[in-house]
């Protein structure tokens, strides 16, 4: 499964969920279920490839500017929480993922973010979609982990230790307003 197939699967699931689930908070679980159902119709090897693409995209989004956007939107600054946020951005679909990477401040246009308040883009459960699908298909609880360990593609994905880009003080409201003015306008004003 290449990145185009990965995004086609995600975007198809997003379209289905968005048509049926108007509540953004309920969408997180629904998108995971919709993707899992699509994955169980694939081969175990394709599920491994889906997981690798997901891992690559999550790592590609490991950047300080996106982390600062997550801090404004969700109000935390932890590596684990930021991983969930990146999973959530992926689960929004290709359009939002690419927009967020091109300009993290563009997340201010997302309907759930635009409204302000207690927004949770993070989707911790989305990281388990491929694991659940693989186990359903093969009956092996650790089968996906073992396949990922054996994959030469997974090696480079284990080396990231620091987010890319320039780090700044997210507690400095003036700096946040300068770097992420639209998000700051929603969450700081």
């Amino acid at each position: 499964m290449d990145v185009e197939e990965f995004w086609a699967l995600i975007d198809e699931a997003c379209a289905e969920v968005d048509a049926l689930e108007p509540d953004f908070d309920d969408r997180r679980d629904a998108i995971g279920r919709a993707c899992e159902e699509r994955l169980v119709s694939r081969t175990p090897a394709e599920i491994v490839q889906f997981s690798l693409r997901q891992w690559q995209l999550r790592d590609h989004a490991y950047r300080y500017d996106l982390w600062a956007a997550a801090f404004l939107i969700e109000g935390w600054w932890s590596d684990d929480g930021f991983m969930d946020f990146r999973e959530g951005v992926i689960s929004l679909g290709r359009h939002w993922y690419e927009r967020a990477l091109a300009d993290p401040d563009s997340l201010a246009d997302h309907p759930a973010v635009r409204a302000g308040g207690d927004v949770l883009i993070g989707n911790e459960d989305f990281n388990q979609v491929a694991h659940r699908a693989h186990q359903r298909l093969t009956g092996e609880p650790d089968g996906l982990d073992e396949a990922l360990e054996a994959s030469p593609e997974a090696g480079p994905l284990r080396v990231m230790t620091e987010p890319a880009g320039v780090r700044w003080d997210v507690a400095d409201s003036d700096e946040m307003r300068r770097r992420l003015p639209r998000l700051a306008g929603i969450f700081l004003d």
Side-chain angles (χ1 to χ4, degrees):
M1 177 178 291
D2 65 16
V3 74
E4 295 300 321
E5 291 173 289
F6 173 90
W7 281 124
L9 186 145
I10 297 280
D11 288 342
E12 181 182 290
C14 285
E16 174 189 316
V17 169
D18 291 345
L20 300 173
E21 189 53 68
D23 185 272
F24 184 76
D25 289 335
D26 293 336
R27 182 195 182 280
R28 284 190 301 277
D29 292 335
I31 194 67
R33 286 189 305 272
C35 287
E36 183 179 334
E37 289 307 314
R38 283 161 175 76
L39 285 172
V40 295
S41 70
R42 304 289 184 115
T43 67
E46 287 175 303
I47 296 172
V48 170
Q49 288 298 305
F50 176 92
S51 186
L52 286 165
R53 298 300 81 77
Q54 186 176 7
W55 195 347
Q56 290 165 338
L57 292 164
R58 185 179 58 238
D59 281 1
H60 189 64
Y62 195 42
R63 302 176 1 191
Y64 280 118
D65 57 350
L66 192 60
W67 200 335
F71 176 80
L72 281 174
I73 295 168
E74 297 188 0
W76 45 253
W77 187 260
S78 75
D79 196 52
D80 188 48
F82 184 48
M83 185 171 80
D84 297 345
F85 183 85
R86 290 176 289 147
E87 287 291 344
V89 172
I90 292 168
S91 77
L92 295 176
R94 186 177 202 161
H95 169 79
W96 286 107
Y97 176 86
E98 290 178 351
R99 281 189 70 186
L101 265 62
D103 176 16
D105 205 33
S106 70
L107 286 169
D109 293 330
H110 191 280
V113 174
R114 194 173 41 234
D118 293 331
V119 179
L120 185 62
I121 298 288
N123 191 343
E124 178 180 13
D125 191 54
F126 195 70
N127 190 39
Q128 297 302 313
V129 166
H131 287 272
R132 287 192 307 268
H134 195 276
Q135 184 174 350
R136 281 177 60 190
L137 196 60
T138 66
E140 300 170 15
D142 299 322
L144 180 61
D145 290 332
E146 292 167 2
L148 291 170
E149 280 292 320
S151 172
E153 280 187 81
L157 299 173
R158 295 190 185 98
V159 297
M160 293 190 76
T161 57
E162 283 292 316
V166 176
R167 185 175 185 157
W168 70 85
D169 183 3
V170 296
D172 182 339
S173 296
D174 291 335
E175 187 70 8
M176 292 296 264
R177 282 184 181 88
R178 187 176 75 73
R179 293 183 183 260
L180 300 168
R182 297 171 60 216
L183 286 171
I186 294 169
F187 294 101
L188 294 180
D189 294 338

